[in-house]
Every structure is written in structure tokens, then in C-alpha cells.
Amino acid sequence: MTDDFTRAWNAWHERREAALAEPHGWLSLTAFHWLDEEPAPLDGLPGLWSSDGAAVTVTADAKDGLSASGRAVDGTAEFKVPEGAGPAWVDYGDKRLELAPRGGRHAVRVRDPLAPTRTGFTGVPAFDPDPAWVVAASFAPAPELVDVGSVREGVDQSLHAVGTVRFDLDGAPQELVATDAGEGRLWLLFRDPTNGDTTSSFRQLTAPAPGPDGRVDLDFNRSLNMPCAFTDYGTCPLPPGPNRLTAAVTAGERKPS
């Protein structure tokens, strides 16, 4: 008989896999193109593309098949894509082209529902859920901007740290720098000794907002792979330097097969 804890985890894991398998989700990425100031073609895409750091410009004919917000790109179109505002999107048949601001530059990432990483997806392996991996922690606020870099060369990233969580694993004290996940929640990027063996190079965990006394429960059963574990075209931020646990976290998602 399956207990309530396991049922809840199974339902959460199914939603996670369904989100990954969406037609234009992380598994659909097939290309990453940096843009320069001089208009230039991009491999496999129509038109001429450029960026001045503040906006992306594309020049194409209507017959090329590019569109944005349901309207064909016919001539020159400009897309304001400021840093921190999220991407803009251009459609090309079944593909979606993500115009992404990264470190003062812009890139075009191609999302294709027919990407082999998506069509061959069979799920994310994970450790069996175990209530013992719900760990009590204490949160101490300490806002600061932390430079962390990125898995992609040439992309510099910073995270808005909100404080530190402290807890014990295997009898040893641990601490992680936490960043803002919205609505008071905490986002934790962490490394541990399982990385590169049973798990990917680092993982992420979102924790609920701490209580008034700073108490917060960390459910490591819900540790997730970052997008860069599934694709070569990710720009994931790296964990803050101190976020390396000394105890092996045998919970949550395993390294994708």
C-alpha cells in the first residue's frame, strides 16, 4: 500500500516530467546563437539577425515564415529585450525562437518539438522518496548580490541572495546561501558528493517561506536537475561558492540517463 507521503511525491514527480516534456520546454532546445551588432544569418534560420545589447533586430521576408505575436515578420522588426525582463519570442513553423538577454548580450535559442532530447524522453530517474530527507533548517536573512558565473562560457550571472539556511546532515553542520524564489520562498543551488556519479553536477531545491522564527523544512526528495543537465544549450547559473554539502544527498532527481 502506498502511503500519503509517497503518493504526494509521485504526483509531484509526474507533473515535473510533464512540464519537461512540453512541446517547447527545456527538452526542445536544439541550438544557441550569440548575436553581434552586424546583421548576419543564423544556421538553419531565415533572415538576418543582430543585437545592439538593448534590442534584437531581424530582417526577413514574409515568405520566410517568421512571425511574432501572430504577425509575419516582413521587413525589419525590433524586439526590446532588456536584461532581467525575460525573453521575447519569434515563431518559425513549429519552432519557437527564444530571444534571450544574457550578460549584456543577446542570444537566440531554438526550441523544436522534434528535438531528439524531447522525442526520446522517457522520464527523469530519481531516488525513492523517503521522509527522512525532509530536514529541519534555520534561516538567517543577509541580503547581498552574489556573482556566480554560468555553465556557459561568456555568460556572467549574479544572484540576489536573501540569507543562509543552516542544518545538519549525517551529524555534520551544513549551510547554503539561499536566493529569492518569489513569495518569500527560498531557492537553493547546491553541490554534494553524489555529483557526477548518481546525480548531475549540481541540483536545485525550492523551499517554502521560513516561519517567523526562521524555521524552514528542506525536502531534499524534491531536489531537481537544472535545465543544463538535459541540454547543451543551457545558461544555468552555478551554485554560490559556499554551497557544497559534505554529506551525500541520496534523494531527489538522479542524473538523466
Side-chain angles (χ1 to χ4, degrees):
M1 180 178 295
T2 304
D3 59 61
D4 290 344
F5 182 87
T6 302
R7 273 194 295 272
W9 184 91
N10 286 337
W12 166 83
H13 188 60
E14 289 174 4
R15 292 193 299 271
R16 156 69 166 170
E17 291 182 324
L20 281 172
E22 288 179 353
H24 298 105
W26 291 117
L27 299 177
S28 71
L29 289 173
T30 59
F32 183 103
H33 304 284
W34 282 120
L35 299 182
D36 296 317
E37 290 189 18
E38 189 68 24
L42 301 180
D43 187 32
L45 300 178
L48 297 176
W49 300 77
S50 62
S51 166
D52 63 2
V56 173
T57 300
V58 57
T59 301
D61 294 328
K63 62 181 174 56
D64 289 328
L66 297 176
S67 65
S69 300
R71 299 181 63 181
V73 175
D74 190 12
T76 297
E78 184 179 78
F79 300 88
K80 297 287 188 182
V81 195
E83 194 79 32
W89 299 92
V90 173
D91 293 314
Y92 177 43
D94 289 337
K95 300 181 178 70
R96 298 208 77 195
L97 311 181
E98 176 190 1
L99 314 185
R102 291 293 184 273
R105 302 175 67 187
H106 286 108
V108 174
R109 290 200 294 195
V110 180
R111 296 182 181 238
D112 183 353
L114 298 180
T117 45
R118 178 175 180 268
T119 58
F121 180 59
T122 58
V124 185
F127 294 95
D128 291 336
D130 183 349
W133 278 106
V134 181
V135 178
S138 61
F139 171 74
E144 63 173 327
L145 190 65
V146 180
D147 294 328
V148 294
S150 166
V151 296
R152 176 166 288 272
E153 186 177 355
V155 177
D156 297 323
Q157 297 199 57
S158 300
L159 297 175
H160 292 279
V162 293
T164 302
V165 291
R166 296 181 174 88
F167 53 98
D168 288 344
L169 285 180
D170 285 349
Q174 315 284 337
E175 68 176 51
L176 294 171
V177 173
T179 58
D180 184 8
E183 300 179 342
R185 298 175 302 162
L186 307 178
W187 191 46
L188 307 169
L189 294 174
F190 69 93
R191 294 184 171 95
D192 74 272
T194 66
N195 298 157
D197 181 14
T198 55
T199 64
S200 55
S201 57
F202 60 96
R203 290 182 288 169
Q204 60 176 318
L205 176 64
T206 300
D213 60 354
R215 162 72 184 255
V216 59
D217 287 336
L218 309 180
D219 187 353
F220 284 100
N221 295 287
R222 302 198 178 197
S223 302
L224 299 178
N225 293 315
M226 293 288 284
C228 52
F230 301 99
T231 176
D232 293 332
Y233 306 109
T235 59
C236 302
L238 296 170
N243 285 18
R244 186 181 297 274
L245 304 178
T246 61
V249 178
T250 54
E253 290 187 345
R254 293 176 177 261
K255 184 165 55 177
S257 53

